[in-house]
Amino acid sequence: MRTLRCFVEGRWWQAEAGFRPLINPCTEEPIAQASSSGLDFGAALAFARTTGGEALRSLTIPERAGLLAAMSKALHERRDELIELSLATCGTTRKDAKFDLDGATGTLYYYASLGKDLGDGVWQLDGDGVQLGRSARSWGQHLRLPKRGVAIHINAFNFPCWGFAEKAACALLAGVPVLTKPATSTAWLTERCVEIVVEAGILPRGSLSLVCGSLGDAFDHLQGQDVVAFTGSADTALRIREHRNLLRQGVAVNVEADSLNAAVLAPDVEEGSETLALFYRDVERELTQKSGQKCTAVRRIFAPRERLDEIQRELTERLSRVVVGNPAEPSVTMGPLATREQLDAAVHGVERLRAAATLVLGTGERVNGLGAAPGTGYFFGPTLLRREASAGAGVVHELEVFGPVATLLGYDGDAGTAAADVGASQGTLVTSLYSDDAGWIASYLRAGGATTGRVYLGSEKGADQAPGSGVALPQMLHGGPGRAGGGAELGGQRGLALYQQTVGVMGDRALVDRVAAQ
Ligand code: NAP
């Protein structure tokens, strides 16, 4: 069985004990093991901070952008190999594997391009300078300097390539070294990505470290200039936020957590319209892509109450065509859930949702997968629930079932009602509004826009170019308030802010300007 390695202090390191298995979710066979037991986290972090940090900070932003471009190219050149590895170790379909990998290389490439437009310096100017006194010589200018710490990146199991790359792109461009920690269940793929980058000799020593296995006592060694960016469950996020040393040192913590994303169909959308067709396409994809294990997946579908029957009929028809099974079978369109724990959580979660809604598609139980031995594999079919009134739906607004599961909810068609009901989940990453009525959309935003990190508008004119609500494009903010974690990643330049210290420099204008231009 393969043993995954860590990459720290500029070299590969392998544990000898304390292993956790990686399981093939289609066959339930162990395929690899990972451990970080015995790793000296204090030394690993110190090396990253000093050797990696100094090297990155000595490069200009366009030079760092060049590193990202080379990473994107190196990973893209191994695209076929990485897709095969995703199929073999994560149980993802080919389409889902491409989504993860192309998302990774595309995001690296985007930040490589952005980095060429952020000036030629080692820091970024933050807006224009400002006159401070009566005389124009008294001047202030804000600069964004790279933090002098290390960025710890903790990722969820669902995007082993993209999760690693999207966080690394922002930190490295800002000039901060990265220690990336993938979720153990799908860490093999991330390990291979890091291996490819290391083998290509792209990054300065110390600027990228990898931990497969737990983070051990790493948090005890963090300092005030370090950063933690976490993606995963709200429970783990709470444990991280509460860590005594992180609180004592004031370490910046960014959290991307659970999200009960919503798709809202407005009353102006007519039968047979392009907007309605887009709504169906999007909802179907958001429910089934990556087997519904996407933080941006649609969990709640709101529609005017009188249209629930029509919408349920169309969605169940589409979702019934999904073929669940081992992606090695060419006809399979949706793979298994990632782990036994995720399967158990989905079964238990649907049981809980049934207290407030009626199951209209699926069994709420594990199913047999095509091309897998009967009774084996973490397969769970597309599952749709329905409730007539979105108000008072309790658990539907509180429980994220991380699988191909969503609930169809009726509302009265009013934008204010929809906003209030969507907001009952206390914060989403993305809310999709399907409407061609700008007035209705504006009313929704006034009433509830602040409860989400991103609003995706599905409309007649935009339908042919709509990327889908679940795509976290690097140009747009990824993060949401409240339950979604309160974090902010990506969003162009905004994604760099976590890794930068904004410093106001004030003094004589000529001197300030000369300093800022360095
Ligand atoms: P999880 O159990 O919280 O694990 C996430 C990551 O945290 C893994 O790398 C895990 O490592 C690590 N971890 C676990 N305990 C830790 C601790 N005490 N200290 C430091 N790290 C720790 O989440 P999950 O079940 O894998 O992921 C599913 C959840 O992630 C869902 O709720 C989903 O909504 C959320 N998610 C959110 C986003 C977003 O962008 N908002 C994206 C994807 C997923 P091990 O695997 O080694 O335990």
Side-chain angles (χ1 to χ4, degrees):
M1 187 164 46
R2 189 189 155 87
T3 298
L4 303 188
R5 297 177 298 165
C6 299
F7 187 73
V8 287
E9 298 182 65
R11 60 190 159 78
W12 290 99
W13 178 94
Q14 191 170 305
E16 286 170 2
F19 291 105
R20 273 171 60 192
L22 279 72
I23 308 287
N24 181 324
C26 296
T27 62
E28 300 187 34
E29 284 163 3
I31 47 173
Q33 56 182 4
S35 169
S36 61
S37 175
L39 195 147
D40 185 343
F41 282 96
L45 291 165
F47 184 84
R49 234 178 253 124
T50 50
T51 309
E54 277 165 26
L56 285 170
R57 287 192 300 272
S58 72
L59 300 177
T60 63
I61 296 177
E63 284 169 338
R64 289 177 218 145
L67 303 178
L68 302 185
M71 283 173 74
S72 175
K73 184 164 176 280
L75 292 172
H76 187 71
E77 280 170 3
R78 308 303 272 270
R79 186 172 185 263
D80 292 344
E81 177 205 328
L82 289 166
I83 288 168
E84 291 306 326
L85 189 62
S86 181
L87 260 71
T89 64
C90 307
T92 36
T93 62
R94 194 167 290 280
K95 226 171 163 180
D96 287 350
K98 287 178 188 169
F99 185 63
D100 182 28
L101 182 62
D102 294 344
T105 52
T107 303
L108 284 164
Y109 186 78
Y110 166 79
Y111 274 101
S113 308
L114 182 81
K116 292 185 192 130
D117 296 333
L118 299 181
D120 294 327
V122 293
W123 52 58
Q124 247 186 291
L125 299 188
D126 185 342
D128 294 331
V130 59
Q131 184 173 323
L132 298 177
R134 266 182 301 168
S135 151
R137 286 182 49 205
S138 179
W139 198 248
Q141 170 71 56
H142 288 94
L143 304 179
R144 292 193 211 160
L145 271 58
K147 289 190 178 174
R148 300 180 68 85
V150 57
I152 307 246
H153 290 165
I154 305 168
N155 281 309
F157 63 82
N158 53 350
F159 285 103
C161 300
W162 179 82
F164 149 63
E166 60 97 13
K167 285 186 170 65
C170 292
L172 294 171
L173 187 60
V176 175
V178 168
L179 183 148
T180 192
K181 183 241 168 306
T184 300
S185 54
T186 56
W188 189 340
L189 194 50
T190 315
E191 188 213 37
R192 185 65 193 128
C193 288
V194 172
E195 247 174 23
I196 289 168
V197 172
V198 169
E199 279 165 10
I202 295 164
L203 295 173
R205 257 165 74 79
S207 47
L208 179 62
S209 308
L210 165 77
V211 171
C212 292
S214 96
L215 277 178
D217 65 354
F219 288 166
D220 294 336
H221 300 281
L222 294 192
Q223 303 172 358
Q225 291 273 314
D226 296 330
V227 174
V228 175
F230 168 79
T231 296
S233 66
D235 288 345
T236 310
L238 183 62
R239 280 205 293 281
I240 293 173
R241 286 191 212 269
E242 284 178 339
H243 194 279
R244 222 176 143 61
N245 186 49
L246 268 57
L247 290 172
R248 190 186 296 120
Q249 303 281 348
V251 173
V253 177
N254 190 77
V255 171
E256 303 289 354
D258 308 356
S259 181
L260 286 146
N261 308 301
V264 186
L265 187 71
D268 66 289
V269 181
E270 288 172 3
E271 236 186 303
S273 67
E274 274 301 313
T275 310
L276 187 63
L278 176 67
F279 166 81
Y280 285 132
R281 273 203 306 278
D282 281 354
V283 170
E284 179 188 354
R285 185 182 48 243
E286 291 312 317
L287 219 77
T288 54
Q289 193 171 45
K290 298 232 73 177
S291 311
Q293 302 171 112
K294 252 178 19 174
C295 52
T296 50
V298 171
R299 304 290 173 204
R300 298 172 296 158
I301 308 156
F302 294 79
R305 202 164 296 134
E306 65 279 7
R307 299 188 65 178
L308 283 184
D309 287 342
E310 159 204 346
I311 287 161
Q312 177 186 326
R313 215 170 22 250
E314 178 67 23
L315 285 179
T316 48
E317 203 180 303
R318 284 167 173 261
L319 293 167
S320 300
R321 292 198 287 263
V322 172
V323 182
V324 182
N326 187 335
E329 282 286 327
S331 58
V332 163
T333 56
M334 191 172 89
L337 300 184
T339 62
R340 160 72 57 189
E341 291 73 30
Q342 290 298 320
L343 174 64
D344 291 347
V347 171
H348 184 59
V350 171
E351 198 179 302
R352 286 185 58 198
L353 291 180
R354 290 176 79 171
T358 308
L359 188 65
V360 294
L361 179 73
T363 61
E365 301 288 339
R366 196 200 76 82
V367 297
N368 283 328
L370 186 76
T376 307
Y378 310 135
F379 300 103
F380 197 85
T383 304
L384 190 67
L385 296 101
R386 167 176 171 160
R387 181 185 158 98
E388 305 306 305
S390 62
V395 66
V396 178
H397 299 306
E398 291 156 14
L399 179 69
E400 180 204 39
V401 180
F402 208 55
V405 180
T407 305
L408 180 59
L409 295 151
Y411 78 107
D412 62 10
D414 180 70
T417 313
D421 292 349
V422 170
S425 74
Q426 306 296 327
T428 64
L429 287 172
V430 55
T431 296
S432 350
L433 305 178
Y434 293 86
S435 177
D436 291 276
D437 180 346
W440 189 94
I441 294 169
S443 297
Y444 181 98
L445 290 181
R446 270 195 294 276
T451 63
T452 190
R454 182 159 59 87
V455 174
Y456 166 93
L457 302 180
S459 66
E460 186 113 26
K461 288 264 164 60
D464 61 335
Q465 293 192 21
S469 58
V471 184
L473 291 170
Q475 297 90 335
M476 299 302 293
L477 181 79
H478 178 62
R483 179 195 297 274
E489 289 183 343
L490 303 175
Q493 290 189 43
R494 291 172 191 82
L496 274 61
L498 180 64
Y499 308 99
Q500 295 170 318
Q501 177 62 43
T502 303
V503 179
V505 179
M506 53 195 288
D508 176 71
R509 178 169 188 174
L511 187 59
V512 170
D513 282 347
R514 281 207 306 279
V515 169
Q518 296 293 305

